[in-house]
């Protein structure tokens, strides 16, 4: 088991210490890198946050050789990719029919379908990116097996699935329904009542992000890890720049990209109701050497009942990354809600995943599978379940891409690209081609939904 950091909580920004995730066990030379010994005093574009969004923004700002290239600085409070991206489940899984039901009910099918197509598009985008840039991040394509253990929940999902199929929607072409016997025989899930399967991917997120940042640094990015921002000035300077205070001095930036996800409201308090830091737990599980166990045909979402689910991928080395199960601690708000501390696990979660493979899958009874690493991570949950992307309301020159919930992998890459285009080329939100519902706005800062607690 990984050792747990004893560093105390540091509310409300990122904690100074953290539980160690499996993904961060092979640190990259850029992990604690500072391009220059001093923090520059000014820049054209300042990216705050070195996770998936920050890396995508930096890569896109500097990769197309447009002249003149802007001066770009990226500040990261801790090590590179030490936030949610460095501690997630590694699942690049578009949500095709599940959240779509809620979005359709609230905003109509056309707006909901934009999100599905955007998520599905990430699969090809990431495939092309990884191939073009030759980034070794174990990108793997397989099928996601969405398995339901609760009959009523499955029935409801099937009704929505049937309605999407009957409308002939393009993204439903390869979404298959599995009956109870298929779910048990082909997906090997004990107690499954049925489910769905569709194309998905998984990868090593830390390696993707360090790969992108390496290219950006080669193209001129000034990377400054271990540089927490404590404040952004309330108003612009006479030259239009914003003053940004860090532990290593002040930097004046003409444009700012907030890639701060869960920690956004520490710097932009107007987001405190819209994006809330919420803690989750993830593990790496490994079977005993030479112990018999069933090879699994894909990744999983094991739906135990409404609001209760576990996600899982099988890695190329045979180990599994398994996380979720927040239903077991949801009642204990202080453990997870508005809690930005990834320095500790969630109470009583230390042993939840012990024996998980044995009790969930046929063919794993004698596997001796054990938790090898367990860690926590902080997600930016948004009140309406949608990310916030675009111009920060009322703050000219500040842009945001944050609030990706537990679901950033098929969403954040193109969101980072979009804010890079907005900051560098002054394109409008509409011109970015992002789903319309992602646009941040004053209205969304006073949320009408409270999806996090309801
Ligand atoms: C346990 C867990 C499991 C998950 N599993 C999945 C999954 O399987 N699939 C999926 O799609 N999504 C998953 N997610 C969600 C996904 O990881 C996130 O949505 C995504 O990584 C968000 O990327 P980001 O760049 O916005 O945020 P982050 O990776 O959190 O990056 C934000 C960065 O900003 C830095 N920062 C914040 N404030 C400051 C400041 N004041 N000064 C300087 N730097 C600052 C932070 O230190 C951090 O590094 C999971 C998340 C967690 C925590």
């Amino acid at each position: 088991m990984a050792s747990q950091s004893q560093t105390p909580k540091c509310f409300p920004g990122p904690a100074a210490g953290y539980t160690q995730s499996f993904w961060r066990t092979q640190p990259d030379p850029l992990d604690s890198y500072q391009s220059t010994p001093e923090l520059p005093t000014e820049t054209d574009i300042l990216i705050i946050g070195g996770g998936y969004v920050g890396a995508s923004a930096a890569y896109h700002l500097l990769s197309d050789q447009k002249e003149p290239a802007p001066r770009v600085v990226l500040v990261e409070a801790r090590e590179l990719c030490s936030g949610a991206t460095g501690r997630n489940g590694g699942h690049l899984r578009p949500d095709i029919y599940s959240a779509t039901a809620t979005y359709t009910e609230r905003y109509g099918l056309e707006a909901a379908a934009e999100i599905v197509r955007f998520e599905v598009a990430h699969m090809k985008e990431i495939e092309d990116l990884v191939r073009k840039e030759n980034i070794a991040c174990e990108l793997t394509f397989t099928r996601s097996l969405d398995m339901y253990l609760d009959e009523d929940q499955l029935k409801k999902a099937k009704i929505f699935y049937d309605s999407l199929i009957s409308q002939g929607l393009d993204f439903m072409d390869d979404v298959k329904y599995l009956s109870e016997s298929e779910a048990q025989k082909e997906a090997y899930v004990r107690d499954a009542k049925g489910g769905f399967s569709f194309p998905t991917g998984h990868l090593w997120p830390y390696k993707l992000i360090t790969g992108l940042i390496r290219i950006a640094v080669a193209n001129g990015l000034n990377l400054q890890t271990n540089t927490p921002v404590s404040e952004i000035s309330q108003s612009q300077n006479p030259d239009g720049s914003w003053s940004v205070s860090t532990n290593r001095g002040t930097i004046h930036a003409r444009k700012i990209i907030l890639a701060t996800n869960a920690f956004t409201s520490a710097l932009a308090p107007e987001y405190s109701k819209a994006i809330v830091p919420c803690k989750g737990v993830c593990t790496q599980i490994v079977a005993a050497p030479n112990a018999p166990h069933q090879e699994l045909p894909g990744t999983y979402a094991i739906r135990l009942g409404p609001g209760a689910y576990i996600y899982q991928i099988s890695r190329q080395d045979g180990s599994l990354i398994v996380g979720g199960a927040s239903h077991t601690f949801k009642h204990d708000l202080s453990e997870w809600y508005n809690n930005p501390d990834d320095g500790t696990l969630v109470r009583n979660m230390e042993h939840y995943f012990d024996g998980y493979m044995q009790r969930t899958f046929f063919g794993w009874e004698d596997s001796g599978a054990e938790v090898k690493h367990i860690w926590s991570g902080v997600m930016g949950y948004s009140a309406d379940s949608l990310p916030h992307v675009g111009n920060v309301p009322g703050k000219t020159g500040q842009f945001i891409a944050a609030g990706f919930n537990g679901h950033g992998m098929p969403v954040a890459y193109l969101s980072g690209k979009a804010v890079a285009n907005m900051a560098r080329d002054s394109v409008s939100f509409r011109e970015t081609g992002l789903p319309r519902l992602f646009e941040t706005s004053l209205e969304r800062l006073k949320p009408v939904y409270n999806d996090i607690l309801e």
Side-chain angles (χ1 to χ4, degrees), residues 13-14 48-54 75-79 81-93 227-230 259-264 266-267 280-282 311 375-379 401-402 404-410 412:
I48 307 177
Y52 197 10
V53 170
V75 286
E76 163 53 52
R78 306 181 295 190
E79 293 84 1
C81 198
S82 54
T85 315
R87 36 191 65 252
N88 69 20
H91 210 169
L92 176 63
R93 172 184 172 276
T227 306
V229 171
S230 51
T260 41
N261 204 34
F263 311 103
T264 298
L267 298 180
V281 174
C282 201
Y311 51 82
W375 62 91
S376 64
V378 185
M379 291 161 275
F404 293 99
N405 300 288
H407 191 63
M409 300 287 279

Side-chain angles (χ1 to χ4, degrees), residues 221-375:
L221 174 70
N222 186 309
L223 171 65
Q224 299 289 340
T225 61
N226 300 300
T227 306
V229 171
S230 51
E231 196 177 7
I232 302 172
S233 59
Q234 283 308 302
S235 56
Q236 281 167 289
N237 299 315
D239 66 355
S241 68
W242 297 90
S243 301
V244 178
S245 312
T246 79
N247 63 335
R248 297 172 56 226
T250 299
I251 177 166
H252 302 281
R254 285 201 310 116
K255 308 267 176 73
I256 295 175
I257 293 176
L258 286 169
T260 41
N261 204 34
F263 311 103
T264 298
S265 67
L267 298 180
E270 60 270 41
Y271 281 88
S272 61
K273 289 200 171 73
I275 302 176
V276 179
C278 294
K279 230 166 124 167
V281 174
C282 201
T283 65
Q284 184 201 28
I285 297 181
V286 183
N290 305 319
H293 57 276
Q294 174 63 50
E295 194 179 324
L296 297 175
T299 68
Y300 288 83
I302 306 282
R303 298 186 184 275
L304 307 163
Y309 97 111
I310 292 171
Y311 51 82
Q312 172 182 329
I313 65 168
S314 298
R315 297 193 52 253
Q316 289 175 3
D317 69 358
S319 72
L320 302 123
I321 304 293
V322 182
S326 59
H327 61 285
T328 58
F329 55 83
K330 269 273 151 80
H331 60 280
D332 200 349
L333 278 191
S334 64
E335 282 295 310
W336 67 277
Y337 180 79
N338 211 3
N339 184 336
D341 175 23
D342 51 22
T344 53
L345 283 179
V346 173
R347 193 156 18 134
N348 297 330
M349 281 305 282
E350 293 86 348
H351 298 296
Y352 175 83
F353 290 102
D354 293 352
Y356 160 79
M357 292 304 292
Q358 290 86 334
R359 65 181 180 259
T360 307
F361 291 94
F362 293 115
W364 281 75
E365 296 80 357
D366 302 318
S367 64
E370 279 185 0
V371 174
K372 191 165 174 207
H373 284 90
I374 182 164
W375 62 91

Side-chain angles (χ1 to χ4, degrees), residues 146-159 177-180 192-196:
D146 243 25
M147 297 289 108
Y148 287 73
L149 274 53
D150 179 281
E151 209 151 353
D152 289 340
Q153 195 189 11
L154 175 64
K155 264 189 203 147
K156 214 172 147 197
K158 176 79 164 50
I159 290 170
Y177 175 70
L178 278 81
S179 66
E180 178 167 355
K193 300 288 181 291
F196 307 92

Side-chain angles (χ1 to χ4, degrees), residues 10 73 95 117 169 188 215 289 326 379 391 452:
C10 171
V73 175
D95 190 338
R117 294 193 179 101
L169 291 156
Y188 306 103
I215 296 163
S326 59
M379 291 161 275
N391 291 287
I452 310 171

